[in-house]
PDB file of all heavy atoms in Angstrom:
ATOM      1  N   ILE X   1    -100.178 -71.847  27.094  1.00  0.00           N
ATOM      2  CA  ILE X   1    -100.183 -70.854  26.025  1.00  0.00           C
ATOM      3  C   ILE X   1    -100.420 -69.463  26.600  1.00  0.00           C
ATOM      4  O   ILE X   1     -99.757 -68.500  26.224  1.00  0.00           O
ATOM      5  CB  ILE X   1    -101.286 -71.184  24.995  1.00  0.00           C
ATOM      6  CG1 ILE X   1    -101.017 -72.539  24.352  1.00  0.00           C
ATOM      7  CG2 ILE X   1    -101.393 -70.098  23.941  1.00  0.00           C
ATOM      8  CD1 ILE X   1    -102.193 -73.085  23.582  1.00  0.00           C
ATOM      9  N   GLU X   2    -101.352 -69.372  27.536  1.00  0.00           N
ATOM     10  CA  GLU X   2    -101.681 -68.116  28.218  1.00  0.00           C
ATOM     11  C   GLU X   2    -101.666 -68.379  29.715  1.00  0.00           C
ATOM     12  O   GLU X   2    -102.526 -69.119  30.216  1.00  0.00           O
ATOM     13  CB  GLU X   2    -103.053 -67.618  27.772  1.00  0.00           C
ATOM     14  CG  GLU X   2    -103.455 -66.291  28.390  1.00  0.00           C
ATOM     15  CD  GLU X   2    -104.838 -65.841  27.933  1.00  0.00           C
ATOM     16  OE1 GLU X   2    -105.491 -66.568  27.154  1.00  0.00           O
ATOM     17  OE2 GLU X   2    -105.261 -64.757  28.372  1.00  0.00           O
ATOM     18  N   PRO X   3    -100.716 -67.825  30.438  1.00  0.00           N
ATOM     19  CA  PRO X   3    -100.642 -68.077  31.882  1.00  0.00           C
ATOM     20  C   PRO X   3    -101.966 -67.799  32.578  1.00  0.00           C
ATOM     21  O   PRO X   3    -102.628 -66.795  32.299  1.00  0.00           O
ATOM     22  CB  PRO X   3     -99.561 -67.094  32.352  1.00  0.00           C
ATOM     23  CG  PRO X   3     -98.705 -66.879  31.144  1.00  0.00           C
ATOM     24  CD  PRO X   3     -99.647 -66.921  29.972  1.00  0.00           C
ATOM     25  N   GLY X   4    -102.378 -68.724  33.440  1.00  0.00           N
ATOM     26  CA  GLY X   4    -103.613 -68.540  34.179  1.00  0.00           C
ATOM     27  C   GLY X   4    -104.846 -69.064  33.485  1.00  0.00           C
ATOM     28  O   GLY X   4    -105.954 -68.993  34.030  1.00  0.00           O
ATOM     29  N   LYS X   5    -104.683 -69.605  32.268  1.00  0.00           N
ATOM     30  CA  LYS X   5    -105.830 -70.161  31.545  1.00  0.00           C
ATOM     31  C   LYS X   5    -105.442 -71.480  30.883  1.00  0.00           C
ATOM     32  O   LYS X   5    -104.293 -71.662  30.469  1.00  0.00           O
ATOM     33  CB  LYS X   5    -106.347 -69.192  30.478  1.00  0.00           C
ATOM     34  CG  LYS X   5    -107.069 -67.980  31.049  1.00  0.00           C
ATOM     35  CD  LYS X   5    -107.742 -67.174  29.949  1.00  0.00           C
ATOM     36  CE  LYS X   5    -108.535 -66.013  30.534  1.00  0.00           C
ATOM     37  NZ  LYS X   5    -109.215 -65.212  29.479  1.00  0.00           N
ATOM     38  N   LEU X   6    -106.425 -72.369  30.781  1.00  0.00           N
ATOM     39  CA  LEU X   6    -106.236 -73.637  30.076  1.00  0.00           C
ATOM     40  C   LEU X   6    -107.045 -73.577  28.787  1.00  0.00           C
ATOM     41  O   LEU X   6    -108.273 -73.534  28.823  1.00  0.00           O
ATOM     42  CB  LEU X   6    -106.707 -74.811  30.940  1.00  0.00           C
ATOM     43  CG  LEU X   6    -105.785 -75.255  32.064  1.00  0.00           C
ATOM     44  CD1 LEU X   6    -106.528 -76.165  33.039  1.00  0.00           C
ATOM     45  CD2 LEU X   6    -104.555 -75.976  31.501  1.00  0.00           C
ATOM     46  N   HIS X   7    -106.365 -73.547  27.665  1.00  0.00           N
ATOM     47  CA  HIS X   7    -107.038 -73.543  26.373  1.00  0.00           C
ATOM     48  C   HIS X   7    -107.206 -74.984  25.914  1.00  0.00           C
ATOM     49  O   HIS X   7    -106.234 -75.717  25.738  1.00  0.00           O
ATOM     50  CB  HIS X   7    -106.244 -72.727  25.357  1.00  0.00           C
ATOM     51  CG  HIS X   7    -106.335 -71.254  25.588  1.00  0.00           C
ATOM     52  ND1 HIS X   7    -107.329 -70.474  25.042  1.00  0.00           N
ATOM     53  CD2 HIS X   7    -105.561 -70.420  26.347  1.00  0.00           C
ATOM     54  CE1 HIS X   7    -107.169 -69.210  25.427  1.00  0.00           C
ATOM     55  NE2 HIS X   7    -106.103 -69.152  26.231  1.00  0.00           N
ATOM     56  N   VAL X   8    -108.460 -75.371  25.728  1.00  0.00           N
ATOM     57  CA  VAL X   8    -108.804 -76.768  25.487  1.00  0.00           C
ATOM     58  C   VAL X   8    -109.532 -76.916  24.154  1.00  0.00           C
ATOM     59  O   VAL X   8    -110.406 -76.120  23.818  1.00  0.00           O
ATOM     60  CB  VAL X   8    -109.717 -77.292  26.621  1.00  0.00           C
ATOM     61  CG1 VAL X   8    -110.193 -78.705  26.331  1.00  0.00           C
ATOM     62  CG2 VAL X   8    -108.970 -77.247  27.947  1.00  0.00           C
ATOM     63  N   GLY X   9    -109.183 -77.961  23.404  1.00  0.00           N
ATOM     64  CA  GLY X   9    -109.868 -78.277  22.162  1.00  0.00           C
ATOM     65  C   GLY X   9    -110.635 -79.579  22.287  1.00  0.00           C
ATOM     66  O   GLY X   9    -110.152 -80.521  22.921  1.00  0.00           O
ATOM     67  N   THR X  10    -111.828 -79.637  21.698  1.00  0.00           N
ATOM     68  CA  THR X  10    -112.620 -80.867  21.714  1.00  0.00           C
ATOM     69  C   THR X  10    -113.563 -80.843  20.514  1.00  0.00           C
ATOM     70  O   THR X  10    -113.454 -79.971  19.645  1.00  0.00           O
ATOM     71  CB  THR X  10    -113.390 -81.028  23.037  1.00  0.00           C
ATOM     72  OG1 THR X  10    -114.000 -82.331  23.075  1.00  0.00           O
ATOM     73  CG2 THR X  10    -114.447 -79.962  23.198  1.00  0.00           C
ATOM     74  N   ILE X  11    -114.492 -81.801  20.453  1.00  0.00           N
ATOM     75  CA  ILE X  11    -115.480 -81.819  19.375  1.00  0.00           C
ATOM     76  C   ILE X  11    -116.846 -81.461  19.941  1.00  0.00           C
ATOM     77  O   ILE X  11    -117.061 -81.532  21.152  1.00  0.00           O
ATOM     78  CB  ILE X  11    -115.522 -83.185  18.663  1.00  0.00           C
ATOM     79  CG1 ILE X  11    -115.844 -84.318  19.650  1.00  0.00           C
ATOM     80  CG2 ILE X  11    -114.202 -83.450  17.968  1.00  0.00           C
ATOM     81  CD1 ILE X  11    -115.970 -85.681  19.005  1.00  0.00           C
ATOM     82  N   SER X  12    -117.763 -81.103  19.053  1.00  0.00           N
ATOM     83  CA  SER X  12    -119.063 -80.611  19.515  1.00  0.00           C
ATOM     84  C   SER X  12    -120.175 -81.646  19.420  1.00  0.00           C
ATOM     85  O   SER X  12    -121.302 -81.372  19.826  1.00  0.00           O
ATOM     86  CB  SER X  12    -119.471 -79.372  18.705  1.00  0.00           C
ATOM     87  OG  SER X  12    -119.593 -79.705  17.331  1.00  0.00           O
ATOM     88  N   ASP X  13    -119.874 -82.839  18.881  1.00  0.00           N
ATOM     89  CA  ASP X  13    -120.926 -83.839  18.690  1.00  0.00           C
ATOM     90  C   ASP X  13    -120.525 -85.205  19.221  1.00  0.00           C
ATOM     91  O   ASP X  13    -120.933 -86.233  18.690  1.00  0.00           O
ATOM     92  CB  ASP X  13    -121.307 -83.940  17.213  1.00  0.00           C
ATOM     93  CG  ASP X  13    -120.171 -84.467  16.337  1.00  0.00           C
ATOM     94  OD1 ASP X  13    -119.009 -84.450  16.798  1.00  0.00           O
ATOM     95  OD2 ASP X  13    -120.444 -84.897  15.204  1.00  0.00           O
ATOM     96  N   GLY X  14    -119.712 -85.209  20.265  1.00  0.00           N
ATOM     97  CA  GLY X  14    -119.189 -86.468  20.797  1.00  0.00           C
ATOM     98  C   GLY X  14    -119.945 -86.975  22.013  1.00  0.00           C
ATOM     99  O   GLY X  14    -119.323 -87.326  23.029  1.00  0.00           O
ATOM    100  N   ARG X  15    -121.275 -87.001  21.957  1.00  0.00           N
ATOM    101  CA  ARG X  15    -122.054 -87.538  23.087  1.00  0.00           C
ATOM    102  C   ARG X  15    -121.611 -88.965  23.389  1.00  0.00           C
ATOM    103  O   ARG X  15    -121.389 -89.735  22.475  1.00  0.00           O
ATOM    104  CB  ARG X  15    -123.544 -87.537  22.759  1.00  0.00           C
ATOM    105  CG  ARG X  15    -124.169 -86.153  22.639  1.00  0.00           C
ATOM    106  CD  ARG X  15    -125.620 -86.271  22.199  1.00  0.00           C
ATOM    107  NE  ARG X  15    -126.245 -84.976  22.042  1.00  0.00           N
ATOM    108  CZ  ARG X  15    -126.926 -84.333  23.004  1.00  0.00           C
ATOM    109  NH1 ARG X  15    -127.077 -84.906  24.177  1.00  0.00           N
ATOM    110  NH2 ARG X  15    -127.456 -83.154  22.795  1.00  0.00           N
ATOM    111  N   PRO X  16    -121.534 -89.318  24.669  1.00  0.00           N
ATOM    112  CA  PRO X  16    -121.793 -88.543  25.880  1.00  0.00           C
ATOM    113  C   PRO X  16    -120.519 -87.901  26.454  1.00  0.00           C
ATOM    114  O   PRO X  16    -120.517 -87.443  27.573  1.00  0.00           O
ATOM    115  CB  PRO X  16    -122.311 -89.609  26.844  1.00  0.00           C
ATOM    116  CG  PRO X  16    -121.491 -90.813  26.480  1.00  0.00           C
ATOM    117  CD  PRO X  16    -121.304 -90.747  24.982  1.00  0.00           C
ATOM    118  N   TYR X  17    -119.454 -87.877  25.669  1.00  0.00           N
ATOM    119  CA  TYR X  17    -118.171 -87.405  26.181  1.00  0.00           C
ATOM    120  C   TYR X  17    -118.051 -85.888  26.166  1.00  0.00           C
ATOM    121  O   TYR X  17    -117.763 -85.258  27.175  1.00  0.00           O
ATOM    122  CB  TYR X  17    -117.031 -88.028  25.375  1.00  0.00           C
ATOM    123  CG  TYR X  17    -117.086 -89.523  25.294  1.00  0.00           C
ATOM    124  CD1 TYR X  17    -117.296 -90.174  24.084  1.00  0.00           C
ATOM    125  CD2 TYR X  17    -116.955 -90.300  26.439  1.00  0.00           C
ATOM    126  CE1 TYR X  17    -117.352 -91.554  24.014  1.00  0.00           C
ATOM    127  CE2 TYR X  17    -117.008 -91.680  26.379  1.00  0.00           C
ATOM    128  CZ  TYR X  17    -117.211 -92.300  25.157  1.00  0.00           C
ATOM    129  OH  TYR X  17    -117.285 -93.662  25.093  1.00  0.00           O
ATOM    130  N   SER X  18    -118.242 -85.311  24.981  1.00  0.00           N
ATOM    131  CA  SER X  18    -118.123 -83.863  24.826  1.00  0.00           C
ATOM    132  C   SER X  18    -119.036 -83.422  23.685  1.00  0.00           C
ATOM    133  O   SER X  18    -118.904 -83.906  22.562  1.00  0.00           O
ATOM    134  CB  SER X  18    -116.678 -83.484  24.521  1.00  0.00           C
ATOM    135  OG  SER X  18    -116.577 -82.098  24.264  1.00  0.00           O
ATOM    136  N   PHE X  19    -119.953 -82.504  23.994  1.00  0.00           N
ATOM    137  CA  PHE X  19    -120.886 -82.047  22.976  1.00  0.00           C
ATOM    138  C   PHE X  19    -121.452 -80.694  23.382  1.00  0.00           C
ATOM    139  O   PHE X  19    -121.316 -80.256  24.528  1.00  0.00           O
ATOM    140  CB  PHE X  19    -122.027 -83.064  22.782  1.00  0.00           C
ATOM    141  CG  PHE X  19    -122.871 -83.276  24.023  1.00  0.00           C
ATOM    142  CD1 PHE X  19    -124.054 -82.576  24.207  1.00  0.00           C
ATOM    143  CD2 PHE X  19    -122.475 -84.178  25.003  1.00  0.00           C
ATOM    144  CE1 PHE X  19    -124.829 -82.774  25.348  1.00  0.00           C
ATOM    145  CE2 PHE X  19    -123.244 -84.380  26.152  1.00  0.00           C
ATOM    146  CZ  PHE X  19    -124.427 -83.681  26.321  1.00  0.00           C
ATOM    147  N   VAL X  20    -122.079 -80.036  22.421  1.00  0.00           N
ATOM    148  CA  VAL X  20    -122.753 -78.762  22.684  1.00  0.00           C
ATOM    149  C   VAL X  20    -124.234 -79.062  22.878  1.00  0.00           C
ATOM    150  O   VAL X  20    -124.877 -79.664  22.016  1.00  0.00           O
ATOM    151  CB  VAL X  20    -122.547 -77.770  21.524  1.00  0.00           C
ATOM    152  CG1 VAL X  20    -123.357 -76.498  21.748  1.00  0.00           C
ATOM    153  CG2 VAL X  20    -121.062 -77.433  21.383  1.00  0.00           C
ATOM    154  N   ASP X  21    -124.791 -78.638  24.021  1.00  0.00           N
ATOM    155  CA  ASP X  21    -126.181 -78.960  24.341  1.00  0.00           C
ATOM    156  C   ASP X  21    -127.152 -77.959  23.706  1.00  0.00           C
ATOM    157  O   ASP X  21    -126.750 -77.077  22.934  1.00  0.00           O
ATOM    158  CB  ASP X  21    -126.394 -79.036  25.859  1.00  0.00           C
ATOM    159  CG  ASP X  21    -126.152 -77.710  26.573  1.00  0.00           C
ATOM    160  OD1 ASP X  21    -126.142 -76.646  25.908  1.00  0.00           O
ATOM    161  OD2 ASP X  21    -125.978 -77.731  27.804  1.00  0.00           O
ATOM    162  N   GLY X  22    -128.423 -78.091  24.028  1.00  0.00           N
ATOM    163  CA  GLY X  22    -129.449 -77.239  23.441  1.00  0.00           C
ATOM    164  C   GLY X  22    -129.305 -75.775  23.787  1.00  0.00           C
ATOM    165  O   GLY X  22    -129.856 -74.913  23.086  1.00  0.00           O
ATOM    166  N   ASP X  23    -128.584 -75.469  24.851  1.00  0.00           N
ATOM    167  CA  ASP X  23    -128.356 -74.081  25.248  1.00  0.00           C
ATOM    168  C   ASP X  23    -127.075 -73.510  24.662  1.00  0.00           C
ATOM    169  O   ASP X  23    -126.677 -72.391  24.993  1.00  0.00           O
ATOM    170  CB  ASP X  23    -128.310 -73.971  26.778  1.00  0.00           C
ATOM    171  CG  ASP X  23    -129.637 -74.340  27.424  1.00  0.00           C
ATOM    172  OD1 ASP X  23    -130.683 -74.019  26.829  1.00  0.00           O
ATOM    173  OD2 ASP X  23    -129.618 -74.961  28.508  1.00  0.00           O
ATOM    174  N   GLY X  24    -126.417 -74.314  23.804  1.00  0.00           N
ATOM    175  CA  GLY X  24    -125.178 -73.848  23.189  1.00  0.00           C
ATOM    176  C   GLY X  24    -123.970 -73.942  24.099  1.00  0.00           C
ATOM    177  O   GLY X  24    -122.934 -73.318  23.828  1.00  0.00           O
ATOM    178  N   LYS X  25    -124.087 -74.733  25.175  1.00  0.00           N
ATOM    179  CA  LYS X  25    -122.980 -74.881  26.124  1.00  0.00           C
ATOM    180  C   LYS X  25    -122.352 -76.269  26.005  1.00  0.00           C
ATOM    181  O   LYS X  25    -123.028 -77.239  25.667  1.00  0.00           O
ATOM    182  CB  LYS X  25    -123.472 -74.667  27.552  1.00  0.00           C
ATOM    183  CG  LYS X  25    -124.021 -73.269  27.811  1.00  0.00           C
ATOM    184  CD  LYS X  25    -124.508 -73.129  29.240  1.00  0.00           C
ATOM    185  CE  LYS X  25    -125.055 -71.735  29.510  1.00  0.00           C
ATOM    186  NZ  LYS X  25    -125.541 -71.596  30.907  1.00  0.00           N
ATOM    187  N   PHE X  26    -121.065 -76.342  26.306  1.00  0.00           N
ATOM    188  CA  PHE X  26    -120.395 -77.637  26.288  1.00  0.00           C
ATOM    189  C   PHE X  26    -120.841 -78.481  27.479  1.00  0.00           C
ATOM    190  O   PHE X  26    -121.001 -77.978  28.593  1.00  0.00           O
ATOM    191  CB  PHE X  26    -118.876 -77.467  26.335  1.00  0.00           C
ATOM    192  CG  PHE X  26    -118.262 -77.098  25.011  1.00  0.00           C
ATOM    193  CD1 PHE X  26    -117.977 -75.781  24.710  1.00  0.00           C
ATOM    194  CD2 PHE X  26    -117.996 -78.072  24.060  1.00  0.00           C
ATOM    195  CE1 PHE X  26    -117.418 -75.436  23.489  1.00  0.00           C
ATOM    196  CE2 PHE X  26    -117.436 -77.745  22.834  1.00  0.00           C
ATOM    197  CZ  PHE X  26    -117.150 -76.426  22.550  1.00  0.00           C
ATOM    198  N   ALA X  27    -121.074 -79.750  27.229  1.00  0.00           N
ATOM    199  CA  ALA X  27    -121.506 -80.674  28.278  1.00  0.00           C
ATOM    200  C   ALA X  27    -120.908 -82.042  27.982  1.00  0.00           C
ATOM    201  O   ALA X  27    -120.300 -82.267  26.930  1.00  0.00           O
ATOM    202  CB  ALA X  27    -123.029 -80.753  28.328  1.00  0.00           C
ATOM    203  N   GLY X  28    -121.061 -82.959  28.938  1.00  0.00           N
ATOM    204  CA  GLY X  28    -120.589 -84.315  28.727  1.00  0.00           C
ATOM    205  C   GLY X  28    -119.635 -84.782  29.806  1.00  0.00           C
ATOM    206  O   GLY X  28    -119.173 -83.999  30.650  1.00  0.00           O
ATOM    207  N   PHE X  29    -119.344 -86.065  29.787  1.00  0.00           N
ATOM    208  CA  PHE X  29    -118.455 -86.658  30.782  1.00  0.00           C
ATOM    209  C   PHE X  29    -117.087 -85.988  30.789  1.00  0.00           C
ATOM    210  O   PHE X  29    -116.566 -85.611  31.847  1.00  0.00           O
ATOM    211  CB  PHE X  29    -118.296 -88.161  30.510  1.00  0.00           C
ATOM    212  CG  PHE X  29    -117.182 -88.800  31.293  1.00  0.00           C
ATOM    213  CD1 PHE X  29    -117.364 -89.128  32.627  1.00  0.00           C
ATOM    214  CD2 PHE X  29    -115.949 -89.054  30.711  1.00  0.00           C
ATOM    215  CE1 PHE X  29    -116.326 -89.696  33.369  1.00  0.00           C
ATOM    216  CE2 PHE X  29    -114.913 -89.618  31.433  1.00  0.00           C
ATOM    217  CZ  PHE X  29    -115.102 -89.947  32.769  1.00  0.00           C
ATOM    218  N   GLU X  30    -116.489 -85.851  29.614  1.00  0.00           N
ATOM    219  CA  GLU X  30    -115.131 -85.288  29.557  1.00  0.00           C
ATOM    220  C   GLU X  30    -115.102 -83.828  29.981  1.00  0.00           C
ATOM    221  O   GLU X  30    -114.118 -83.376  30.594  1.00  0.00           O
ATOM    222  CB  GLU X  30    -114.551 -85.447  28.154  1.00  0.00           C
ATOM    223  CG  GLU X  30    -114.139 -86.873  27.834  1.00  0.00           C
ATOM    224  CD  GLU X  30    -113.571 -87.009  26.442  1.00  0.00           C
ATOM    225  OE1 GLU X  30    -114.290 -86.710  25.459  1.00  0.00           O
ATOM    226  OE2 GLU X  30    -112.405 -87.415  26.324  1.00  0.00           O
ATOM    227  N   ILE X  31    -116.148 -83.087  29.657  1.00  0.00           N
ATOM    228  CA  ILE X  31    -116.210 -81.678  30.064  1.00  0.00           C
ATOM    229  C   ILE X  31    -116.249 -81.576  31.590  1.00  0.00           C
ATOM    230  O   ILE X  31    -115.464 -80.839  32.204  1.00  0.00           O
ATOM    231  CB  ILE X  31    -117.447 -80.991  29.460  1.00  0.00           C
ATOM    232  CG1 ILE X  31    -117.359 -80.947  27.931  1.00  0.00           C
ATOM    233  CG2 ILE X  31    -117.620 -79.592  30.038  1.00  0.00           C
ATOM    234  CD1 ILE X  31    -116.255 -80.079  27.393  1.00  0.00           C
ATOM    235  N   ASP X  32    -117.153 -82.327  32.214  1.00  0.00           N
ATOM    236  CA  ASP X  32    -117.266 -82.293  33.677  1.00  0.00           C
ATOM    237  C   ASP X  32    -116.003 -82.835  34.339  1.00  0.00           C
ATOM    238  O   ASP X  32    -115.539 -82.286  35.355  1.00  0.00           O
ATOM    239  CB  ASP X  32    -118.473 -83.109  34.136  1.00  0.00           C
ATOM    240  CG  ASP X  32    -119.795 -82.415  33.846  1.00  0.00           C
ATOM    241  OD1 ASP X  32    -119.770 -81.231  33.438  1.00  0.00           O
ATOM    242  OD2 ASP X  32    -120.847 -83.054  34.017  1.00  0.00           O
ATOM    243  N   TYR X  33    -115.471 -83.886  33.765  1.00  0.00           N
ATOM    244  CA  TYR X  33    -114.285 -84.499  34.364  1.00  0.00           C
ATOM    245  C   TYR X  33    -113.076 -83.569  34.262  1.00  0.00           C
ATOM    246  O   TYR X  33    -112.330 -83.395  35.238  1.00  0.00           O
ATOM    247  CB  TYR X  33    -113.985 -85.841  33.709  1.00  0.00           C
ATOM    248  CG  TYR X  33    -112.898 -86.617  34.412  1.00  0.00           C
ATOM    249  CD1 TYR X  33    -112.977 -86.875  35.781  1.00  0.00           C
ATOM    250  CD2 TYR X  33    -111.788 -87.094  33.727  1.00  0.00           C
ATOM    251  CE1 TYR X  33    -111.979 -87.577  36.440  1.00  0.00           C
ATOM    252  CE2 TYR X  33    -110.796 -87.799  34.376  1.00  0.00           C
ATOM    253  CZ  TYR X  33    -110.894 -88.035  35.729  1.00  0.00           C
ATOM    254  OH  TYR X  33    -109.901 -88.732  36.374  1.00  0.00           O
ATOM    255  N   PHE X  34    -112.888 -82.950  33.099  1.00  0.00           N
ATOM    256  CA  PHE X  34    -111.747 -82.049  32.958  1.00  0.00           C
ATOM    257  C   PHE X  34    -111.886 -80.836  33.860  1.00  0.00           C
ATOM    258  O   PHE X  34    -110.889 -80.345  34.410  1.00  0.00           O
ATOM    259  CB  PHE X  34    -111.566 -81.600  31.509  1.00  0.00           C
ATOM    260  CG  PHE X  34    -110.287 -80.840  31.294  1.00  0.00           C
ATOM    261  CD1 PHE X  34    -109.077 -81.509  31.163  1.00  0.00           C
ATOM    262  CD2 PHE X  34    -110.278 -79.451  31.276  1.00  0.00           C
ATOM    263  CE1 PHE X  34    -107.887 -80.813  31.001  1.00  0.00           C
ATOM    264  CE2 PHE X  34    -109.099 -78.748  31.124  1.00  0.00           C
ATOM    265  CZ  PHE X  34    -107.896 -79.430  30.979  1.00  0.00           C
ATOM    266  N   ASN X  35    -113.098 -80.335  34.039  1.00  0.00           N
ATOM    267  CA  ASN X  35    -113.294 -79.204  34.954  1.00  0.00           C
ATOM    268  C   ASN X  35    -112.889 -79.577  36.377  1.00  0.00           C
ATOM    269  O   ASN X  35    -112.329 -78.754  37.109  1.00  0.00           O
ATOM    270  CB  ASN X  35    -114.756 -78.742  34.921  1.00  0.00           C
ATOM    271  CG  ASN X  35    -115.070 -77.892  33.705  1.00  0.00           C
ATOM    272  OD1 ASN X  35    -114.190 -77.235  33.154  1.00  0.00           O
ATOM    273  ND2 ASN X  35    -116.320 -77.905  33.275  1.00  0.00           N
ATOM    274  N   ASP X  36    -113.179 -80.829  36.777  1.00  0.00           N
ATOM    275  CA  ASP X  36    -112.763 -81.291  38.102  1.00  0.00           C
ATOM    276  C   ASP X  36    -111.241 -81.349  38.192  1.00  0.00           C
ATOM    277  O   ASP X  36    -110.652 -80.915  39.193  1.00  0.00           O
ATOM    278  CB  ASP X  36    -113.352 -82.671  38.392  1.00  0.00           C
ATOM    279  CG  ASP X  36    -112.849 -83.233  39.714  1.00  0.00           C
ATOM    280  OD1 ASP X  36    -113.326 -82.769  40.775  1.00  0.00           O
ATOM    281  OD2 ASP X  36    -111.965 -84.128  39.695  1.00  0.00           O
TER     282      ASP X  36
END
């Protein structure tokens, strides 16, 4: 959609896959795995 960036959609309450932690940041298996 935007060259040089990956725009990704997910859910915020999908522990342990994808969720927003206490600091308001995305965390979880899928977040770490996709970043890799």
